[in-house]
Amino acid sequence: MIGLPKKESSVYLAAFLFVITLSGLQLSAEKLRESPRLIVLGGFISSLLFFFAVVFLGSIKKEIKWLDAGLCLLVACACAIPVHRICVTTCMLFSAAMLFYLNFMSSRIMAKVSAYNTGKRVESKSPRGRSVKPVSYTHLRAHETGRNLV
């Protein structure tokens, strides 16, 4: 059986990385104010705080609701305020992208885990959205030569 990682390991790792990232952000706040690029970097680092907070809450709860994500965003933006006011804006933008990616990846992972545990075969999707099924070499040769070998 394939499973997800243990809840305790995800909680501890997310909390540890949150504290380390927050400490690094606060210690380097003066340096991050020096140029516009570093200010945007400060917003990205603040969005990592959002990511770790979401992982922390997601490990404790079964699923994250919009209110929980908003709380995590509020915490990350509050940590970005001492660096620069633009860090708050870039933190919101990077956090929105991370939230979309987290939602996308978690749904894919959960589908594969549940399909594996139930014994169902998972069909992959092509970039055009069509189902991709494995075919035999003879089938491929028939398409290549234009003959009806199958």
Side-chain angles (χ1 to χ4, degrees):
M1 300 266 297
I2 287 183
L4 299 174
K6 291 183 180 180
K7 184 188 295 189
E8 296 83 22
S9 62
S10 296
V11 168
Y12 294 138
L13 183 62
F16 176 73
L17 290 173
F18 183 90
V19 169
I20 294 297
T21 306
L22 178 61
S23 302
L25 181 69
Q26 297 305 317
L27 289 174
S28 62
E30 288 292 325
K31 180 74 175 162
L32 290 172
R33 288 188 203 117
E34 290 180 0
S35 74
R37 288 183 181 177
L38 290 176
I39 291 172
V40 172
L41 177 64
F44 178 74
I45 293 170
S46 300
S47 69
L48 289 176
L49 294 173
F50 168 78
F51 174 77
F52 297 137
V54 167
V55 171
F56 179 82
L57 275 179
S59 298
I60 293 173
K61 298 173 132 187
K62 184 71 176 170
E63 77 180 55
I64 297 289
K65 304 285 185 191
W66 283 108
L67 184 63
D68 301 326
L71 176 68
C72 293
L73 182 63
L74 186 67
V75 168
C77 289
C79 294
I81 288 173
V83 179
H84 198 276
R85 65 181 182 270
I86 297 174
C87 284
V88 177
T89 306
T90 55
C91 174
M92 286 181 176
L93 294 173
F94 285 124
S95 297
M98 283 186 187
L99 188 61
F100 174 76
Y101 183 73
L102 278 172
N103 185 30
F104 175 73
M105 289 306 296
S106 67
S107 63
R108 286 187 67 189
I109 290 170
M110 292 305 289
K112 286 185 179 183
V113 167
S114 65
Y116 183 81
N117 289 339
T118 58
K120 294 180 181 176
R121 187 173 177 166
V122 179
E123 289 184 10
S124 60
K125 296 279 186 177
S126 71
R128 294 181 184 161
R130 299 183 199 148
S131 295
V132 178
K133 296 179 184 176
V135 295
S136 67
Y137 176 74
T138 307
H139 183 89
L140 293 175
R141 288 288 295 156
H143 281 285
E144 185 179 294
T145 59
R147 295 184 182 159
N148 191 7
L149 299 175
V150 181

